[in-house]
Amino acid sequence: MLKLYTYFRSSAAYRVRIALNLKGLSFEAIPVHLLRNGGEQHSPAYEEINAARLVPALQDGALKLTQSLAIVEYLEETHPEPALLPQTPEARAQVRALALSIACDIHPLNNLRVLRHLETSLKIDEQVRTGWSRHWIDVGFGAIERMLAEARTTGTCCYGNAPTMADCCLIPQVFNALRLKCPLDRFPTIMRLYEHCMQLEPFQRAAPGAQIDAE
C-alpha cells in the first residue's frame, strides 16, 4: 500500500490527499506533526524519508517521492484514470499554470518555516506575520481570479467540470485563506469553485478536519 507522510493542516499534503482520493487509491496516512517537540519532520528517522524535512512524502514500495506536484504527476502517470490533466498540450499547460501559481507563487511565502524565520530571526510579531500571509494570498488570488474568470474553459472546476491538478492546489489554499480570515469577497470565481469541490466526497475525505491527526 502507498504510504503518505502527512500533516493534517499542510496544504501541500492536502493536495496529495485530494489527488489520491480522486484516483481512488488506498493509502496509509503516517502523520508527521510539524509543531510538536520542535517538529517531527526534523527527526533523523524522517530525514531518511525526506532530506528537505518537509511534508508530504509518498512511499511506493522502495520508491520515496517528495514535492507535492511531483507526487501528483507521478500518480497521474502511474494511474492515468481518472485524469487530473486534460488531453491537449495547451490545456495541460493551462492547468499547470494555475497549479504552479499557487504552489510556487503563494504557498512558499506562507510556509511554516518562512513564518518561523520571520518570528525567530526577524522578531516579527504574530499580527504582522498574519498580515504578511494575508497580503501574499490576496496578491496571488487576484491573479488566479482573473485567470479563471477570463478563461472560457472554467466550469464548475478550474478546467471544465471535472477536478484537475489545479483544483488539488486551489482548494487547500482557500482553506488556508479562510483559516487566516482573509477577505475573499473579491474572488467570486475562486469561491464558487471551492464551494463546488467541497461538495465532492474525495475533497471532503481529504479535508484537514477529516484526518486522523486533526486537532
Side-chain angles (χ1 to χ4, degrees):
M1 182 182 290
L2 296 167
K3 294 181 179 180
L4 178 67
Y5 294 84
T6 181
Y7 178 61
F8 77 106
R9 215 160 45 206
S10 162
S11 59
Y14 191 173
R15 296 168 198 157
V16 177
R17 295 196 302 263
I18 293 170
L20 286 163
N21 290 343
L22 288 169
K23 296 283 186 184
L25 297 173
S26 298
F27 64 96
E28 178 186 359
I30 303 176
V32 180
H33 202 293
L34 301 186
L35 300 174
R36 186 180 297 141
N37 300 322
E40 294 175 354
Q41 71 274 26
H42 299 296
S43 70
Y46 186 69
E47 194 170 357
E48 292 295 317
I49 301 296
N50 186 346
R53 297 176 294 181
L54 298 169
V55 293
L58 183 76
Q59 190 164 356
D60 186 1
L63 178 65
K64 298 171 186 175
L65 297 171
T66 62
Q67 292 295 333
S68 63
L69 293 191
I71 293 170
V72 173
E73 293 265 10
Y74 171 77
L75 296 174
E76 180 74 356
E77 293 178 8
T78 55
H79 302 85
E81 297 296 335
L84 297 181
L85 288 169
Q87 292 295 314
T88 68
E90 296 84 357
R92 286 174 176 247
Q94 184 176 336
V95 167
R96 287 184 173 116
L98 287 165
L100 291 168
S101 293
I102 296 163
C104 296
D105 293 346
I106 301 176
H107 178 250
L109 291 164
N110 296 322
N111 191 278
L112 175 62
R113 61 182 179 176
V114 170
L115 297 176
R116 277 187 166 173
H117 180 72
L118 293 176
E119 177 185 9
T120 59
S121 297
L122 302 181
K123 309 303 180 186
I124 294 175
D125 65 34
E126 183 177 4
Q127 182 177 357
V128 177
R129 295 196 309 274
T130 300
W132 161 282
S133 295
R134 288 172 178 164
H135 170 76
W136 293 115
I137 291 171
D138 185 77
V139 170
F141 273 9
I144 292 166
E145 173 69 22
R146 182 170 179 178
M147 292 165 70
L148 291 168
E150 293 180 355
R152 294 181 179 179
T153 50
T154 304
T156 56
C157 296
C158 287
Y159 188 93
N161 297 321
T164 65
M165 179 191 294
D167 302 281
C168 292
C169 292
L170 180 63
I171 272 54
Q173 191 59 61
V174 175
F175 167 82
N176 280 346
L178 291 170
R179 184 170 63 87
L180 291 169
K181 297 180 172 57
C182 296
L184 299 175
D185 292 347
R186 71 186 192 95
F187 310 123
T189 310
I190 288 174
M191 295 310 298
R192 175 175 64 80
L193 302 185
Y194 175 78
E195 290 165 7
H196 169 75
C197 286
M198 287 309 299
Q199 296 177 27
L200 305 178
E201 188 261 350
F203 288 86
Q204 293 172 355
R205 286 197 290 117
Q211 304 314 300
I212 58 174
D213 57 331
E215 297 176 354

